[in-house]
Amino acid sequence: MPIYALKPAFRKALSPIGRLLIGAGVSADAVTVAGVIFAAIGGLGIWMGRHGDAWLLLVPAGALLRTAANALDGWIAQETKSGRPLGEVLNETADRVADAAMFLPVALVPGVPGLLVAGALAAMLVVSFLGVVIKAAGGRRVYLGVMGKPDRMFVLGLGAIWAL
């Protein structure tokens, strides 16, 4: 079962945080941007910890916070009825940038082939692009599948802990 199947329960668990953010006037777009920042922190953890030191602890933290922000931005947009096409564009763009921020530094890890990382990132981006194109063509956006975003974040975080 892909981790994405747990999203409804995850969103429900995060709803108190979402209500606090709404109460503080934090927009869905701000949470989307925060997700990119969390991904960059995870990527920094990979780069700084590429030799197997404690910097790698930033990776699971960044991955979890990125995943939480990704669940919360849509929830906030729905709850505040502030969703709009430009917000969806921002969300999709931010997701692609966040993937690059978290996975490109893996190419700097000693012993990891850069072409393997480039190929994996290209596959992530193409699959995401196809999902958006299908929706733009009138189809339904599909999020499930092998190694969806939450699955990638889990594996990357677990891999960082294992590398310590």
Side-chain angles (χ1 to χ4, degrees), residues 16-27 31 72 76:
I17 296 169
R19 282 193 280 286
L20 284 172
L21 292 171
I22 290 169
V26 177
S27 70
V31 176
L72 281 169
I76 289 171

Side-chain angles (χ1 to χ4, degrees), residues 139-160:
R140 191 174 75 90
R141 178 78 156 96
V142 178
Y143 297 96
L144 299 176
V146 177
M147 292 306 286
K149 185 180 359 173
D151 302 276
R152 292 191 302 265
M153 294 300 97
F154 179 77
V155 169
L156 193 59
L158 194 62

Side-chain angles (χ1 to χ4, degrees), residues 1 4 6 9 17 23 26 65 71-72 78-80 89 116 140:
M1 173 173 88
Y4 194 85
L6 303 173
I17 296 169
V26 177
L65 291 171
L72 281 169
Q78 288 174 340
E79 290 293 311
T80 61
V89 170
L116 178 64
R140 191 174 75 90

Side-chain angles (χ1 to χ4, degrees), residues 29 82-92 135:
D29 290 349
S82 62
R84 65 202 193 293
L86 186 57
E88 194 169 344
V89 170
L90 173 64
N91 181 61
E92 292 298 334
K135 184 176 180 186

